[in-house]
Amino acid sequence: MPKSSPPFDFHLLLLLTVISTAGAWPVTQQFKEAPQFYNSLSCPKIAGEDKDGFLCSDQAVHVAMTLDSAYIRGSMAAILSVLQHSSCPQNIAFHFVASATANASLLRATISSSFPYLSFQVYAFDDSSVSRLISTSIRSALDCPLNYARSYLADILPSCVNRVVYLDSDLVLVDDIAKLSATQLGDHSVLAAPEYCNANFTYYFTPTFWSNPILSLTFVNRKACYFNTGVMVIDLGRWRQGDYTKKIEEWMEIQKIMRIYELGSLPPFLLVFAGNIVPVEHRWNQHGLGGDNFRGLCRDLHPGPASLLHWSGKGKPWARLDANRPCPLDALWAPYDLLQTPFTLDS
């Protein structure tokens, strides 16, 4: 059963307020403590290991996410949803990647305050390594260096972590993440994700790309389909062996010479992996709930069951709720929102 929340943490609020005034945090955000969730009796017992051993355990479900001040509210909701719907929540290891220039102590304090029982580590991402390769895209949020951290997980996470589920911060799970993590990758595949072969694949690259006699041959003999990189199961061991980070960077270097795509970190993934991934049921990424990249208009769910709801696109549920202009499906995100309601201190 969930345990009751502790008294309000005034010292953490004071820390958040001071750093906010210094400009490192956009607004003062105080989050409630989430309930604690416990393993079912059938879960493998790995809790006896120390923290480092647990974060390396092959029996744990490893989840990687990025952390930053702009999306911290979404991240907190995503974490809660993962734990709430897991049959073995105590066997989940979270690996958070933050910019090396971010206040890691504050991020750790924020996570620990709401999830004091969580097994997690925060890793610094030196985004200067990728900043030189980033080209402007159709939406400024897509140009954030941290958005490219998913390409460097094999280097950032400990070498003992062999498989990870990567999740964006603008989503919630409504099913057990262990099912997704257990996706079979076969003998050679590096990653698995829901594929959308009905999407117009040519849209993701410019006419310059398709008219080039060499580049246009990239997908020959590959049944290339669009997939969303916000939800992926990745074999980090195979990634390291194949040096796939370098392959992605090579495409980014070409993009700096000639503009072959417009959509940030997604197209390099498609160039390297499209047609060579293990397809996952669409239920594991009901994406696009944030609308398109320009207006963020409301959208309906895709037909079929849903195990994960993803507000990819411009519109984010917390922003629309705060503006009192929510879309109908934002009500499905709201129950996972841990933001503390505003209050005043007596003088």
Side-chain angles (χ1 to χ4, degrees):
M1 294 184 59
K3 69 177 183 179
S4 59
S5 298
F8 170 72
D9 190 342
F10 175 79
H11 293 94
L12 178 61
L13 176 66
L14 185 60
L15 173 65
L16 291 172
T17 306
V18 169
I19 294 180
S20 173
T21 12
W25 200 271
V27 291
T28 300
Q29 296 184 89
Q30 172 70 21
F31 296 95
K32 298 175 286 189
E33 181 178 341
Q36 183 169 0
F37 301 96
Y38 298 91
N39 284 354
S40 65
L41 295 176
S42 61
C43 297
K45 298 186 181 299
I46 55 177
E49 301 184 20
D50 59 21
K51 179 181 177 182
D52 290 340
F54 183 85
L55 290 172
C56 280
S57 174
D58 287 336
Q59 289 183 297
V61 171
H62 294 273
V63 178
M65 300 175 65
T66 57
L67 276 185
D68 69 350
S69 58
Y71 283 83
I72 187 69
R73 188 171 168 189
S75 301
M76 302 292 273
I79 297 165
L80 175 59
S81 73
V82 169
L83 298 171
Q84 182 170 323
H85 296 283
S86 171
S87 57
C88 302
Q90 292 172 294
N91 289 1
I92 301 176
F94 283 87
H95 303 267
F96 299 117
V97 180
S99 169
T101 59
N103 189 316
S105 297
L106 176 60
L107 292 172
R108 287 191 196 93
T110 304
I111 297 295
S112 296
S113 180
S114 288
F115 304 98
Y117 47 84
L118 197 69
S119 297
F120 75 93
Q121 185 63 270
V122 177
Y123 307 88
F125 173 52
D126 181 8
D127 48 28
S128 64
S129 60
V130 72
S131 294
R132 64 179 180 84
L133 296 173
I134 296 176
S135 302
T136 55
S137 62
I138 60 173
R139 184 159 60 93
S140 60
L142 300 177
D143 301 336
C144 172
L146 193 60
N147 201 39
Y148 290 78
R150 70 197 80 191
S151 304
Y152 295 86
L153 291 176
D155 300 322
I156 299 170
L157 271 57
S159 59
C160 59
V161 179
N162 295 309
R163 171 182 286 236
V164 70
V165 178
Y166 173 81
L167 298 176
D168 272 352
S169 297
D170 53 356
L171 54 77
V172 294
L173 274 85
V174 291
D175 203 343
D176 192 340
I177 196 170
K179 300 176 185 176
L180 178 60
S181 178
T183 301
Q184 297 298 310
L185 292 175
D187 295 330
H188 305 290
S189 295
V190 176
L191 66 83
E195 282 186 319
Y196 302 90
C197 294
N198 291 331
N200 181 3
F201 193 75
T202 59
Y203 162 77
Y204 296 98
F205 303 96
T206 64
T208 300
F209 174 85
W210 292 115
S211 61
N212 186 286
I214 298 175
L215 298 181
S216 60
L217 298 176
T218 302
F219 299 107
V220 170
N221 300 323
R222 288 162 60 181
K223 188 183 177 183
C225 297
Y226 161 74
F227 64 93
N228 181 280
T229 55
V231 180
M232 299 182 288
V233 181
I234 306 173
D235 186 314
L236 294 178
R238 292 177 183 174
W239 184 294
R240 296 178 184 113
Q241 291 171 7
D243 201 5
Y244 284 96
T245 296
K246 183 178 180 181
K247 291 178 169 64
I248 287 174
E249 287 184 335
E250 287 171 350
W251 280 111
M252 295 176 69
E253 288 169 354
I254 292 174
Q255 165 77 350
K256 297 292 286 188
I257 299 170
M258 62 176 76
R259 196 162 183 84
I260 59 174
Y261 55 80
E262 305 283 357
L263 286 170
S265 63
L266 168 64
F269 261 86
L270 297 180
L271 287 161
V272 174
F273 292 110
N276 292 323
I277 73 170
V278 172
V280 176
E281 286 184 89
H282 288 179
R283 67 189 301 154
W284 287 106
N285 195 351
Q286 283 269 358
H287 67 293
L289 304 186
D292 60 24
N293 281 304
F294 298 100
R295 292 179 294 173
L297 300 178
C298 298
R299 285 185 176 174
D300 294 327
L301 288 173
H302 304 290
S307 292
L308 184 151
L309 307 174
H310 187 187
W311 278 261
S312 58
K314 185 177 181 180
K316 303 306 174 189
W318 55 89
R320 297 192 294 214
L321 288 164
D322 286 352
N324 290 318
R325 296 169 58 187
C327 292
L329 291 177
D330 295 345
L332 299 177
W333 181 88
Y336 302 98
D337 187 11
L338 289 174
L339 187 70
Q340 190 80 271
T341 52
F343 65 95
T344 55
L345 295 173
D346 295 333
S347 57

